[in-house]
């Protein structure tokens, strides 16, 4: 009797302690709004849908494109009468056919976007109720017998398509960092064995030493409206000290900066560079730093260039020719077994395209890869058709890294909420692909990890992957979010060509 009472009390305590976010997100489908009383109803239908989705909490739901696959369906309507409007939403629970309704009212165009925000808060509260029920159902599952040992499952299960290749082994993981970081770049291995790591948040550049723990050495904080898009490292002047290349966008202007690691911090050696940066190549000394300009309106302008360092001055020169549909953030190159140069392009649909040196498409994947939440908004070139959405978002793609053995390492973020200009991912895995002369064959992939992979790097000397993962998103309730750095070992040793 006492044992049953303790079990009941433990379950009851857990129910009070658990947060709604501890339940797995539900699959959500959001329909276009029905609109009445306005002339540009076609544009408004989609715009209201985008606005609503961007304000829903991704820890509760993630979006699916097929209504038949959804657990919940949100159907919205907008009715305008004079200056007054009403926003109404139905939340349909697919399994039970139950319907919840919420609404918001407002006056004038200036109150429309705030009203959508208020409507989203009400929908979030309804979805929280569903999540609590889901957690309760989980508590009711049969308990594991006391004599049965618990099985601990690693977050990177070894898998292989042909049984001959090894997936990387789980290595070191840092303690949570109390901020959402968006980029990481590797530096030197120091005499004591620590590894230099450089990480970027939206307005911070951080210098770490990674040993038994992750130690913060120094930090630079940007001011005003400047925000960071990417961080990379290279040793362009071959002096043994890596430069840190930070792509920075200040409103609609690129004001990128370059730093050097110094004892106790970072030293800025160049600024206001109107360029995007992306490093290509795994070895620090042989890495090439690509650069590209930004268009006056839109995203990328002109050819992909190569950066040259002379003292603390930086210039650009012509790089190898890339296919026309390549941009600085979606391209890499490798050589096949005959030494022929091939280009890799991760297109906007998440498909990997293999192209010859002259740009001819040789192969295109059927599976999708990549997925990034980092992007920037620019004014669109086309005539503005409505006042709600006048800009276009460009999302930077994930890195594709090529090992010395010819393996292509590419991540996949999924569990996605993706409508228009809003993205949010909840889990990720890493794939190793190898070109067999006709197609990219999968060699191994890691199992799904319940976090968003913001960025990653490869250390060929240590044969390790360094991952930057966002384990908790930023939000009003959850604070500034949390990130971790983790290491996967034995990444490419088995794939080196003999």
């Amino acid at each position: 009797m006492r044992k049953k009472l303790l079990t009941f009390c433990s379950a009851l305590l857990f129910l009070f302690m658990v947060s709604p976010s501890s339940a797995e997100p539900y699959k959500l489908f959001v329909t276009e709004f029905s609109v009445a009383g306005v002339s540009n109803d076609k544009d408004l239908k989609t715009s209201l849908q985008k606005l609503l989705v961007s304000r829903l909490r991704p820890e509760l739901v993630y979006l699916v494109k097929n209504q038949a696959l959804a657990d919940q369906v949100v159907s919205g309507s907008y009715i305008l009468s004079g200056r007054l409007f009403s926003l109404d939403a139905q939340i349909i629970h697919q399994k039970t056919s139950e319907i919840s309704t919420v609404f918001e009212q407002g006056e004038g165009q200036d109150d429309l976007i705030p009203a959508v925000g208020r409507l989203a808060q009400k929908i979030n509260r309804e979805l929280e109720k569903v999540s609590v029920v889901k957690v309760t159902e989980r508590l009711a599952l049969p308990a594991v017998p006391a004599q049965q040992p618990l099985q601990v499952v690693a977050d990177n299960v070894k898998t292989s398509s042909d049984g001959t290749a090894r997936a990387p082994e789980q290595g070191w993981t840092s303690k949570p960092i109390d901020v959402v970081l968006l980029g990481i770049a590797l530096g030197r291995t120091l005499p004591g064995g620590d590894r230099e790591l450089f990480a970027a948040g939206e307005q911070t550049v951080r210098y770490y030493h990674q040993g038994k723990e992750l130690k913060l050495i120094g930090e630079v904080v940007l001011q005003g409206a400047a925000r960071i898009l990417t961080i990379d490292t290279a040793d362009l002047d071959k002096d043994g000290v890596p430069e840190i290349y930070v792509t920075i966008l200040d409103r609609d202007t690129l004001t990128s900066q370059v730093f050097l690691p110094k004892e106790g911090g970072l030293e800025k050696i160049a600024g206001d560079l109107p360029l995007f940066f992306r490093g290509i190549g795994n070895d620090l000394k042989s890495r090439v730093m690509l650069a590209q300009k930004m268009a006056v309106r839109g995203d990328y302008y002109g050819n992909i260039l190569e950066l040259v360092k002379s003292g603390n001055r930086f210039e650009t020169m012509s790089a190898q020719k890339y296919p026309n549909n390549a941009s600085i953030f979606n391209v890499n190159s490798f050589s096949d077994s005959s030494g022929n140069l091939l280009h890799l392009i991760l297109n906007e649909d998440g498909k990997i395209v293999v192209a010859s040196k002259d740009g001819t498409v040789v192969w295109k994947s059927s599976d999708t890869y990549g997925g990034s939440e980092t992007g920037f908004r620019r004014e669109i070139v086309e005539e503005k058709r409505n006042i709600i959405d006048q800009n276009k978002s460009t999302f930077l793609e994930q890195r594709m890294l090529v090992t010395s053995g010819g393996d292509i390492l590419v991540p996949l973020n999924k569990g996605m909420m993706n409508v228009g200009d809003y993205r949010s991912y909840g889990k990720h895995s890493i794939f190793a692909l190898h070109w067999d002369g006709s197609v990219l064959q999968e060699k191994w992939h890691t199992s799904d990890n319940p976090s968003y992979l913001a960025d990653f790097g490869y250390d060929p000397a240590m044969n390790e992957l360094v991952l930057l993962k966002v384990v908790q998103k930023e939000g009003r309730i959850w604070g500034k979010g949390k990130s971790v750095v983790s290491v996967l070992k034995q990444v490419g040793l088995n794939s080196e060509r003999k």
Side-chain angles (χ1 to χ4, degrees):
M1 182 69 182
R2 182 181 179 185
K3 184 177 181 181
K4 290 182 179 179
L5 181 61
L6 287 174
T7 302
F8 174 77
C9 291
S10 298
L12 188 63
L13 178 62
F14 177 75
L15 179 60
F16 280 105
M17 291 177 63
V18 72
S19 69
S21 63
S22 63
E24 288 188 9
Y26 270 105
K27 299 174 184 176
L28 183 74
F29 180 85
V30 179
T31 68
E32 286 190 347
F33 274 62
S34 62
V35 174
V38 295
S39 57
N40 62 336
D41 59 338
K42 184 176 180 181
D43 295 328
L44 193 57
K45 289 177 181 179
T46 304
S47 298
L48 289 171
Q49 180 194 38
K50 293 179 182 178
L51 287 169
L52 179 62
V53 167
S54 68
R55 287 152 177 79
L56 297 176
R57 284 170 46 195
E59 66 268 22
L60 296 174
V61 294
Y62 66 89
L63 202 72
V64 294
K65 295 183 180 180
N66 188 339
Q67 182 172 342
L69 301 177
D71 298 313
Q72 317 287 339
V73 176
V74 174
S75 175
S77 66
Y78 169 84
I79 300 174
L80 179 66
S81 178
R83 283 183 53 81
L84 298 176
F85 64 82
S86 178
L87 290 167
D88 297 80
Q90 289 187 339
I91 307 165
I92 305 168
H93 310 282
Q94 296 274 72
K95 293 182 180 179
T96 63
S97 298
E98 295 179 6
I99 298 176
S100 304
T101 60
V102 293
F103 71 92
E104 266 297 326
Q105 295 178 328
E107 181 177 0
Q109 186 69 35
D110 292 342
D111 192 36
L112 179 55
I113 293 178
V116 174
R118 298 193 297 270
L119 182 71
Q121 290 178 2
K122 291 182 177 180
I123 294 174
N124 284 332
R125 286 195 287 270
E126 291 297 318
L127 294 173
E128 279 181 340
K129 296 176 184 177
V130 177
S131 295
V132 170
V133 172
K134 187 176 181 183
V135 172
T136 307
E137 291 173 351
R138 282 166 44 191
L139 285 174
L141 292 175
V144 178
Q147 67 272 18
Q148 180 178 339
L150 294 176
Q151 300 295 318
V152 180
V153 180
D155 63 356
N156 284 282
V157 178
K158 297 179 182 179
T159 56
S160 171
S161 59
D162 57 8
T164 60
R166 296 178 301 170
E169 300 173 359
Q170 181 66 41
W172 173 91
T173 299
S174 73
K175 294 179 181 178
I177 306 166
D178 291 330
V179 67
V180 171
L181 298 173
L182 58 85
I184 195 167
L186 280 58
R188 301 164 292 186
T189 299
L190 302 173
D194 287 1
R195 176 193 279 133
E196 288 182 321
L197 293 178
F198 306 95
E202 190 169 85
Q203 283 198 307
T204 60
V205 183
R206 293 186 169 193
Y207 176 23
Y208 289 102
H209 285 176
Q210 179 230 325
K212 291 182 179 180
E213 295 183 353
L214 194 63
K215 181 180 179 182
L216 181 62
I217 304 302
E219 181 180 37
V220 173
V221 180
L222 304 185
Q223 302 299 319
R227 57 184 294 262
I228 296 170
L229 298 179
T230 67
I231 185 167
D232 277 277
T233 51
D235 184 9
L236 297 189
D237 55 9
K238 315 300 182 188
D239 66 351
V241 180
E243 306 97 35
I244 300 98
Y245 296 87
V246 185
T247 302
I248 300 172
L249 186 64
D250 191 339
R251 301 175 184 86
D252 287 336
T253 303
L254 281 172
T255 59
S256 299
Q257 300 179 16
V258 184
F259 298 87
L260 287 178
K262 295 291 184 181
E263 185 175 352
L266 296 165
E267 177 189 1
K268 178 181 171 181
I269 62 170
D272 294 327
L273 300 175
L275 298 167
F276 296 104
F277 295 134
R278 171 59 63 89
I280 298 292
N282 297 315
D283 183 76
L284 193 63
K285 291 185 178 180
S286 63
R287 185 173 301 146
V288 172
M289 189 58 56
L290 300 182
Q292 194 168 17
K293 297 178 181 179
M294 174 182 275
V296 175
R297 292 185 178 181
D299 38 33
Y300 309 111
Y301 173 77
N303 295 328
I304 298 174
L305 306 170
E306 183 176 333
L307 199 67
V308 179
K309 182 178 186 291
S310 177
N312 286 342
R313 293 178 58 85
F314 294 87
E315 298 176 349
T316 57
M317 69 177 191
S318 298
Q320 64 172 308
K321 183 175 175 56
Y322 291 100
N324 293 332
N325 58 342
S327 68
I328 187 171
F329 296 119
N330 74 355
V331 72
N332 206 327
S333 302
F334 70 100
S335 296
D336 63 15
S337 58
S338 300
N340 299 312
L341 181 68
L342 295 172
H343 297 299
L344 292 165
I345 300 168
L346 188 55
N347 69 22
E348 60 183 8
D349 296 323
K351 309 294 186 180
I352 296 179
V353 177
V354 179
S356 62
K357 187 176 181 180
D358 63 5
T360 303
V361 174
V362 177
W363 179 81
K364 181 179 178 181
S365 70
S366 56
D367 295 326
T368 58
Y369 301 91
S372 171
E373 296 179 8
T374 301
F376 58 93
R377 290 174 62 83
R378 299 298 309 282
E379 185 178 7
I380 59 176
V381 178
E382 293 80 6
E383 182 181 354
K384 301 172 185 177
R385 296 181 296 175
N386 62 77
I387 64 171
I388 295 179
D389 189 5
Q390 300 175 351
N391 298 293
K392 170 182 177 289
S393 283
T394 298
F395 288 94
L396 283 55
E397 254 312 338
Q398 290 280 350
R399 302 177 193 272
M400 294 182 290
L401 303 181
V402 182
T403 71
S404 57
D407 286 350
I408 292 99
L409 305 176
V410 57
L412 170 62
N413 278 306
K414 48 188 175 180
M416 176 181 65
M417 180 180 286
N418 180 359
V419 167
D421 296 335
Y422 181 78
R423 289 186 179 185
S424 181
Y425 299 90
K427 53 186 176 180
H428 76 270
S429 54
I430 305 284
F431 288 77
L433 311 173
H434 198 89
W435 182 250
D436 68 359
S438 301
V439 301
L440 283 175
Q441 296 279 4
E442 180 189 326
K443 299 196 68 172
W444 53 257
H445 70 270
T446 63
S447 61
D448 287 342
N449 186 284
S451 57
Y452 163 62
L453 183 68
D455 199 4
F456 75 118
Y458 175 58
D459 185 339
M462 299 298 293
N463 195 29
E464 294 177 342
L465 276 180
V466 180
L467 312 181
L468 175 61
K469 301 186 288 189
V470 177
V471 295
Q472 182 176 298
K473 300 295 180 69
E474 183 178 1
R476 292 182 180 178
I477 297 177
W478 313 112
K480 295 182 179 180
K482 294 181 185 294
S483 306
V484 299
V485 177
S486 65
V487 174
L488 301 183
K489 302 189 296 182
Q490 304 299 317
V491 173
L493 185 64
N494 59 298
S495 64
E496 300 295 316
R497 291 199 187 103
K498 303 297 184 183

